[in-house]
Amino acid sequence: MAERLKLFFWVFFVLLPNPAKSQLDELFLNGFKGVGVASNLRLNGAAQIQENGVLQLTNKTQRLLGHAFYSNPIQFKNSTDGKAFSFSTSFAFAMVPEFAKLGGHGLAFTISPTKEFPGALPSQYLGLVNNTDLGNFTNHIFAVEFDTVQDFQFKDINDNHVGIDINNLVSNKSAPAAYFDDTNSSIQVLNLKSGQVIQAWIEYDSQSNRLDVKLSPSSTKPRSTLLSFHVDLSLILQESMYVGFSSSTGLLSSSHYIMGWSFKMNGEAKSLSLDQLPSLPAESKRKNSTGVIVGVSVSAALVIILVSGLAFYLIRKIKKADVIEAWELDIEVVCGRRPIEHKALPEELMLVDWVWEKWRLGGIFEVVDSRLEGEFDELEAVVLLKLGLMCSNNEPKARPTMRQVVRYLDGELPLPEAVEAPQGGT
């Protein structure tokens, strides 16, 4: 009877909206199943609550975004002096990628003036902003990202990092994902896209203006901080804000899950006991396949060479995995334009020459198919364009063999730093 009364008190006074008390002081969810839980979360995009109580933000579909926010706004600032309050949160999450070792794209704990994000893009934008409002002070968005794709546009340090983002996806500070093992005072690497359940702690002290982020694969919060940043959030947060999670997928995809969530204003959020959380649904991961095609403008001959090499590479991977997969390679999407464009400017008439000139001048991304509207992986574009220029060289000895092309795509060989002009010059 006592346990039932405690449960009733918790659900009625904390989880359910209370007209006499709209301010949330504390939230503790060991899973997202139960009376009043779903009704107090605003889900949109691909986000949904599984039958066992796991919150799934995205599935393994390309270019998805998913949001899950507490339905009611929370007071984050003192209305008298405008000073931001302290807050703390912990949550358990897991990322299960479509392809082993290849993430897509990540998730972010987010504090935002709205729980709706009209115009926000998936992929590297994590469902928070688009390419026109990046860095706008009027965004009033604070986020801690858990990113599994290295995006050079946002100066990501690697494809497995934690970053503190303010109104932007260019992190104010970031660190490779890791945790401190207090038993032997060592730093242990954490693979965010391993499918392992990881607990995160984010704590902001308004007196010292210090933000700390910690990670661990266990229920115990480490004593040492992974990422620390001094910032006065009074300048960023509005008086009333929403808290929750945002996630997205791109050309590569992952299922992003939240197993439990704890949040507290002006105090320390309770840590979650991982063994008391709902289990991840069983999922299968495909074998690693790094040869993802992006739409880049290269010559028809170059496309044939690259597509042939890529097809051979994928077939080899499929045979190793004993999996039959249908791969569609649309040459028009890869090329973006014809080898000789009669209506183009004189300097753009011959496609290979134009690509080489842009490469030489450092403007290689200007040749990427404009129909992609900036939605492509820059590293993949560089690899394919560099290989394309090498394969288009007039000197047979300067061109890589098909075996070398496959090894380049497989990451077994590093691409040479210098690329000769297609005519055989330098």
Side-chain angles (χ1 to χ4, degrees):
M1 177 65 70
E3 291 299 320
R4 290 183 180 179
L5 288 175
K6 286 170 62 178
L7 177 61
F8 175 82
F9 177 87
W10 180 255
V11 170
F12 189 82
F13 288 100
V14 178
L15 294 183
L16 294 181
N18 188 344
K21 182 184 178 184
S22 60
Q23 167 66 6
L24 174 74
D25 292 321
E26 187 171 10
L27 177 70
F28 187 81
L29 296 172
N30 268 330
F32 297 85
K33 184 178 181 179
V35 179
V37 175
S39 62
N40 279 276
L41 286 178
R42 171 66 174 175
L43 307 179
N44 62 39
Q48 60 178 326
I49 297 176
Q50 300 287 323
E51 290 185 2
N52 68 340
V54 170
L55 171 60
Q56 183 176 19
L57 295 172
T58 68
N59 56 47
K60 292 177 181 176
T61 304
Q62 293 182 347
R63 301 188 184 282
L64 282 182
L65 54 80
H67 301 128
F69 280 77
Y70 186 74
S71 296
N72 296 324
I74 299 172
Q75 185 178 352
F76 270 88
K77 292 173 71 172
N78 189 318
S79 57
T80 303
D81 59 12
K83 180 68 174 176
F85 294 133
S86 298
F87 65 85
S88 173
T89 188
S90 69
F91 53 92
F93 68 93
M95 305 184 192
V96 183
E98 180 182 12
F99 298 101
K101 301 181 181 180
L102 292 176
H105 257 258
L107 61 86
F109 169 77
T110 306
I111 302 176
S112 166
T114 177
K115 53 192 173 184
E116 309 289 344
F117 296 84
L121 295 176
S123 302
Q124 67 266 35
Y125 298 95
L126 297 181
L128 292 174
V129 293
N130 56 48
N131 56 356
T132 61
D133 55 17
L134 274 172
N136 288 351
F137 185 78
T138 55
N139 291 339
H140 294 285
I141 291 177
F142 165 81
V144 176
E145 67 174 36
F146 301 82
D147 198 339
T148 59
V149 175
Q150 184 176 19
D151 192 280
F152 294 99
Q153 175 188 356
F154 299 146
K155 303 177 183 179
D156 288 345
I157 57 174
N158 61 20
D159 62 351
N160 186 56
H161 66 272
V162 181
I164 297 170
D165 302 342
I166 297 176
N167 295 324
N168 206 330
L169 272 303
V170 178
S171 297
N172 297 76
K173 192 172 183 180
S174 59
Y179 72 100
F180 287 86
D181 188 341
D182 293 328
T183 60
N184 55 16
S185 300
S186 63
I187 300 177
Q188 303 293 326
V189 175
L190 270 178
N191 182 4
L192 296 177
K193 48 187 175 286
S194 65
Q196 178 184 19
V197 177
I198 298 170
Q199 186 163 189
W201 293 264
I202 302 169
E203 299 170 327
Y204 176 68
D205 184 347
S206 65
Q207 296 301 313
S208 61
N209 291 333
R210 173 170 168 155
L211 181 76
D212 290 330
V213 181
K214 300 178 180 181
L215 295 179
S216 176
S218 73
S219 304
T220 304
K221 181 170 66 173
R223 290 192 296 268
S224 299
T225 299
L226 169 67
L227 185 58
S228 184
F229 183 58
H230 286 274
V231 58
D232 185 0
L233 291 182
S234 304
L235 305 175
I236 308 302
L237 304 180
Q238 296 180 341
E239 185 170 339
S240 293
M241 304 285 284
Y242 292 90
V243 294
F245 302 92
S246 181
S247 180
S248 69
T249 65
L251 289 175
L252 298 173
S253 60
S254 296
S255 293
H256 297 95
Y257 298 101
I258 306 292
M259 268 66 67
W261 183 21
S262 175
F263 180 86
K264 185 173 178 61
M265 294 297 301
N266 294 310
E268 183 177 355
K270 298 178 182 178
S271 295
L272 300 163
S273 296
L274 300 188
D275 57 357
Q276 296 180 10
L277 301 178
S279 302
L280 278 174
E283 289 196 27
S284 60
K285 289 185 285 187
R286 299 184 190 180
K287 292 291 183 179
N288 191 12
S289 177
T290 57
V292 178
I293 296 179
V294 295
V296 291
S297 300
V298 288
S299 70
L302 161 60
V303 170
I304 293 172
I305 292 172
L306 287 181
V307 170
S308 299
L310 185 57
F312 177 81
Y313 165 80
L314 291 174
I315 290 170
R316 185 166 66 91
K317 285 291 185 183
I318 292 169
K319 286 182 177 178
K320 287 175 65 177
D322 292 325
V323 175
I324 298 176
E325 189 79 45
W327 297 89
E328 295 182 358
L329 302 177
D330 189 338
I331 293 180
E332 290 186 2
V333 173
V334 178
C335 184
R337 53 169 282 184
R338 292 183 291 272
I340 301 176
E341 191 68 63
H342 297 286
K343 295 182 180 180
L345 296 173
E347 62 269 23
E348 300 179 12
L349 180 64
M350 302 297 295
L351 188 55
V352 173
D353 295 341
W354 179 52
V355 172
W356 164 251
E357 186 65 10
K358 290 297 183 181
W359 179 279
R360 188 180 65 83
L361 297 176
I364 191 61
F365 295 122
E366 296 176 27
V367 306
V368 174
D369 193 340
S370 60
R371 291 174 294 181
L372 292 177
E373 298 180 343
E375 287 291 303
F376 64 93
D377 188 298
E378 293 185 358
L379 179 59
E380 292 173 354
V382 168
V383 169
L384 289 180
L385 286 168
K386 199 170 188 178
L387 269 176
L389 290 172
M390 293 166 61
C391 293
S392 299
N393 199 293
N394 290 341
E395 292 293 331
K397 292 182 179 180
R399 295 195 294 263
T401 65
M402 186 59 67
R403 179 178 177 81
Q404 287 175 318
V405 169
V406 172
R407 295 186 69 189
Y408 285 137
L409 290 171
D410 210 5
E412 296 177 4
L413 283 179
L415 282 166
E417 290 293 330
V419 178
E420 293 185 358
Q423 292 79 12
T426 56

